[in-house]
């Protein structure tokens, strides 16, 4: 075999390995995203309640993946406030104490009051219209029974408002607060008593659209007060990860 043939075969081998490596990375990323979304939805739907242990070995088996992928997902959930990582004990669905929940809602009230002050001064009709579409999507998701999407949009509404300030640090801070408070809110079905009511969001937007920032702040404070009232009591039930996350896999 001449040098040209050997060189060609070597180049083809390198390309094949690169293609396989790319497919492996893409497959790992797909599993990672699916695991993250499954756990996020299960937490927000209260199918995995606070203090549920997320065992690495079990998650590896459910998703047929390596521990480093599981750890990336758990780290991401921890950064967002959904999971608590405890040294030598593992990962657990976050379970803020009643005192922490009270403090978090107090801080949310302060931050979201400031958000509305800035958004009310600077946001235009186009930005407000985008928020209104989000609220309509919340309502549609609720009415069509798409609970995971509804809960996700309910939480996202507050972050979308914060994003209009252009302050990335504020958004990151609020994201963790919204996640940790939302997962503690009771699972109920009646409109007006849901995890984060689209009707209450709408009253905030109506005040912003009319240019009444003070009224928007008052509506938001009332909304957050109702959310705090919906915080569920502590639950001692134990859940099987395979039963909640393993179906259909």
């Amino acid at each position: 075999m001449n040098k040209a043939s050997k060189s060609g075969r070597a180049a083809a081998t390198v390309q094949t390995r690169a293609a396989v490596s790319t497919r492996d990375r893409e497959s790992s990323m797909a599993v990672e995203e699916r695991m993250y979304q499954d756990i996020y939805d299960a937490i927000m739907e209260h199918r995995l309640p606070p203090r549920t242990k997320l065992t690495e070995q079990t998650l590896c088996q459910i998703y047929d993946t390596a521990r480093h992928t599981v750890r990336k997902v758990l780290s991401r959930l921890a950064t967002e406030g959904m999971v608590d990582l405890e040294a030598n004990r593992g990962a657990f669905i976050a379970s803020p104490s009643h005192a922490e929940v009270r403090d978090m809602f107090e801080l949310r009230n302060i931050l979201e009051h400031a958000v509305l002050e800035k958004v009310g001064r600077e946001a235009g009709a186009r930005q407000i219209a985008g928020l209104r579409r989000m609220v309509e999507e919340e309502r549609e998701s609720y009415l069509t029974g798409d609970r995971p999407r509804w809960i996700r949009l309910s939480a996202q509404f507050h972050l979308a408002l914060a994003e209009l300030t252009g302050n990335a640090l504020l958004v990151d801070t609020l994201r963790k607060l919204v996640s940790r408070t939302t997962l503690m809110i009771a699972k109920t079905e009646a409109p007006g008593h849901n995890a984060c009511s689209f009707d209450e969001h709408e009253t905030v937007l109506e005040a912003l659209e009319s240019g009444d920032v003070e009224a928007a702040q008052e509506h938001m404070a009332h909304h957050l007060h109702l959310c705090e009232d919906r915080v569920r009591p502590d639950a001692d039930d134990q859940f099987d990860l395979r039963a909640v996350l393993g179906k259909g896999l």
Side-chain angles (χ1 to χ4, degrees):
M1 184 180 296
N2 58 39
K3 290 183 178 180
S5 296
K6 290 181 178 180
S7 178
R9 289 185 61 183
T13 299
V14 169
Q15 290 175 349
T16 299
R17 288 174 177 172
V20 170
S21 178
T22 298
R23 286 198 298 270
D24 288 345
R25 283 198 302 271
E26 291 174 349
S27 176
S28 178
M29 289 172 63
V31 171
E32 181 182 328
E33 187 59 31
R34 179 159 57 89
M35 189 192 313
Y36 166 82
Q37 204 59 67
D38 285 351
I39 296 174
Y40 178 95
D41 288 344
I43 293 172
M44 287 304 186
E45 291 183 78
H46 295 282
R47 288 185 287 116
L48 288 177
R51 293 307 299 166
T52 300
K53 186 170 184 177
L54 299 173
T55 309
E56 287 185 8
Q57 182 177 357
T58 302
L59 290 172
C60 286
Q61 293 169 352
I62 291 172
Y63 291 94
D64 189 22
T65 192
R67 280 184 182 268
H68 67 83
T69 300
V70 171
R71 287 169 181 167
K72 284 178 66 177
V73 172
L74 295 179
S75 178
R76 179 179 172 186
L77 290 164
T79 298
E80 295 182 2
M82 308 287 287
V83 166
D84 290 332
L85 301 178
E86 301 182 8
N88 303 317
R89 298 195 66 234
F92 298 82
I93 306 300
S95 179
S97 67
H98 289 296
E100 185 183 352
V101 169
R102 184 179 62 249
D103 289 346
M104 286 191 295
F105 272 109
E106 182 178 2
L107 182 53
R108 279 190 64 178
N109 205 5
I110 293 169
L111 292 176
E112 298 196 52
H113 186 279
V115 164
L116 290 171
E117 181 70 36
K118 188 169 185 180
V119 170
R121 290 197 317 267
E122 300 177 1
R126 184 176 179 181
Q127 286 83 5
I128 301 301
L131 291 169
R132 183 165 288 284
R133 285 193 296 273
M134 180 177 289
V135 172
E136 288 306 313
E137 289 174 9
E138 279 186 69
R139 190 188 308 277
E140 179 185 1
S141 297
Y142 176 81
L143 294 175
T144 57
D146 189 349
R147 186 174 179 84
R149 184 167 181 263
W150 160 52
I151 294 175
R152 197 177 304 118
L153 286 167
S154 295
Q156 185 61 34
F157 172 82
H158 295 268
L159 300 178
L161 264 175
E163 286 168 357
L164 292 181
T165 67
N167 188 319
L169 181 58
L170 188 154
V171 174
D172 287 343
T173 301
L174 195 58
R175 177 176 287 109
K176 185 168 185 177
L177 291 169
V178 169
S179 296
R180 287 180 78 84
T181 51
T182 300
L183 69 86
M184 293 299 291
I185 294 172
K187 176 182 178 181
T188 55
E189 297 295 339
H193 295 281
N194 48 54
C196 196
S197 172
F198 42 76
D199 292 326
E200 293 159 20
H201 290 167
E202 190 166 23
T203 62
V204 173
L205 288 185
E206 287 172 351
L208 283 177
E209 286 175 323
S210 68
D212 192 341
V213 175
E214 185 175 339
Q217 291 168 325
E218 290 175 357
H219 288 310
M220 181 64 82
H222 179 65
H223 167 53
L224 293 177
H225 174 71
L226 292 178
C227 286
E228 185 175 1
D229 281 348
R230 295 171 191 139
V231 170
R232 63 178 299 177
D234 295 332
D236 295 324
D237 296 333
Q238 297 297 314
F239 287 72
D240 180 359
L241 286 180
R242 287 186 179 85
V244 175
L245 300 175
K247 57 184 179 180
L249 297 177

